Amino acid sequence: AGLLSICAFQVSYSRSAYFGGTRKHLVLTGTDHPSEIVALRRQLLFALSRLARLPMPAASFTPHLTLIYNCGRTPLMTLE
C-alpha cells in the first residue's frame, strides 16, 4: 500500500484490432493514448520490480483492452 499515486482518468477506444502473432487476440484500441495510462503502467512496473524483483519489460506499450484470446478471424470494427 502507498506505492502508487494515481488519479482517475478517462480512456476511450475507437476501433478493434488484432494483437499476437499466429494466435490472434481481439482487442479494443485507439489513437489517443492519455499520458495518465502510460504513467500508471510505469508506476505499476516500478512497484512490481521493487516488490517481486521482476525485471522491467521493454518500454513499448500500446494501451488496449483484450476482448477475446485466440479468436481466429473476427471481423474488425470501428467504434462510435
Side-chain angles (χ1 to χ4, degrees):
L3 292 176
L4 301 177
S5 174
I6 59 172
C7 295
F9 59 91
Q10 186 172 3
V11 177
S12 61
Y13 301 103
S14 59
R15 62 187 173 88
S16 63
Y18 292 114
F19 278 17
T22 57
R23 300 171 68 192
K24 300 293 184 199
H25 311 307
L26 183 65
V27 302
L28 295 180
T29 189
T31 55
D32 182 30
H33 306 301
S35 60
E36 295 91 350
I37 200 165
V38 176
L40 172 61
R41 178 183 184 263
R42 190 177 326 116
Q43 286 187 44
L44 286 169
L45 291 175
F46 182 73
L48 286 171
S49 70
R50 286 184 57 206
L51 293 173
R53 294 181 164 73
L54 297 173
M56 295 282 283
S60 177
F61 172 62
T62 302
H64 66 280
L65 173 68
T66 303
L67 297 176
I68 306 171
Y69 288 98
N70 305 321
C71 67
R73 285 287 178 192
T74 304
L76 295 178
M77 306 165 274
T78 300
L79 308 175
E80 296 182 21

